[in-house]
Amino acid sequence: MGKSIRKRDKSVYKRKEFGHWEADTVVSGRGKTKACFATLAERKTRFYIAIKIPNRNGETMARAIIQALGKLPKGAVKTITCDRGSEFANWRQVEKELNCDMYFADPYCAWRKGTNENLNGLLREFYPKGRNLSRVSKKTLEKNLALINARPKKVLGFKKPVYLFNFFLTKCCT
C-alpha cells in the first residue's frame, strides 16, 4: 500500500521547508459512534487542522483531506505522511487532487508522524476518549483548534503556529 516513508526526501525530517503534512484520525474510543476527526498537521509550523467526519472509510477521509488542504495555494501541500490505516486507502485520489506525494509510516511507528500525534493529544484535552464526537459542533471544534494553534510553542521559539503558518503561506505561495 502506497510509498514507504523511507522513500520520502530526507529534507522533510529537518522541517526547513513549509508544506509537508502529517495526517491521522482521532476516534471516540468506545465504539458508541463512528464519527471521528480527520487531523492534519503541518510539520514546520505545527499548524493543526481537524475536520469532523461521519466515519473512517477511505472515501470520507480522502474527501476531508482534499477539502481542507485543497483550499490552500499551490505549493502549500508538498507531501502528506500518514499511518497504514484503512482510512487512507484512497491515497491516490488525494495525490491526484492535491498534486502532492503521500507516504506511509512503517507499521507500529506512530512516532514517525509525531507532530500529528502530539497535537492529537492536545485535542484530546477537549475531547477525551469515550466522548461522543458526533455531538461536537463545527463552531466548538473551530474554537478549540484556534486555542491550540494560538498556543506559543517552545520548539518554535515561543511563536504561535497560526502566526508562522500564515507567514509561510504568504511567503511560499503568493
Side-chain angles (χ1 to χ4, degrees):
M1 171 171 161
K3 296 181 287 272
S4 168
I5 194 170
R6 296 164 196 263
K7 294 199 175 11
R8 188 175 74 176
D9 194 277
K10 300 294 178 248
S11 67
V12 177
Y13 293 101
K14 295 185 174 85
R15 300 177 192 266
K16 299 271 188 241
E17 186 180 38
F18 177 75
H20 299 284
W21 294 81
E22 296 175 6
D24 201 7
T25 48
V26 171
V27 297
S28 163
R30 295 236 173 95
K32 292 177 191 164
T33 175
K34 290 187 167 133
C36 59
F37 298 132
T39 62
L40 297 153
E42 200 284 321
R43 288 178 53 83
K44 181 178 178 72
T45 63
R46 277 39 172 216
F47 186 76
Y48 188 58
I49 298 170
I51 307 110
K52 186 172 93 170
I53 55 177
N55 57 54
R56 283 173 65 182
N57 77 35
E59 184 59 38
T60 306
M61 177 59 87
R63 231 179 298 120
I65 293 171
I66 292 164
Q67 177 195 343
L69 299 182
K71 298 173 191 164
L72 299 175
K74 187 173 168 31
V77 183
K78 295 175 178 83
T79 67
I80 301 171
T81 302
C82 56
D83 58 30
R84 295 185 177 273
S86 61
E87 65 268 33
F88 297 109
N90 291 30
W91 61 273
R92 285 184 186 91
Q93 180 187 354
V94 175
E95 281 190 336
K96 185 177 172 216
E97 294 277 332
L98 298 178
N99 193 27
C100 69
D101 289 310
M102 272 188 89
Y103 295 95
F104 293 85
D106 296 329
Y108 311 105
C109 293
W111 53 270
R112 288 277 179 101
K113 49 186 192 60
T115 300
N116 195 284
E117 295 292 339
N118 177 279
L119 290 163
N120 286 350
L122 294 180
L123 190 63
R124 283 272 185 220
E125 291 177 15
F126 298 102
Y127 308 105
K129 277 195 170 152
R131 176 94 179 263
N132 185 344
L133 300 180
S134 67
R135 293 188 181 146
V136 176
S137 76
K138 184 176 180 180
K139 191 173 181 177
T140 302
L141 178 59
E142 286 172 357
K143 183 185 78 155
N144 294 334
L145 289 169
L147 290 170
I148 290 170
N149 286 318
R151 184 185 286 186
K153 296 191 176 296
K154 184 178 180 181
V155 72
L156 299 173
F158 296 98
K159 290 185 178 81
K160 299 173 183 180
V162 68
Y163 166 79
L164 288 175
F165 183 77
N166 289 326
F167 173 78
F168 286 109
L169 206 53
T170 56
K171 191 175 171 190
C172 92
C173 313
T174 52

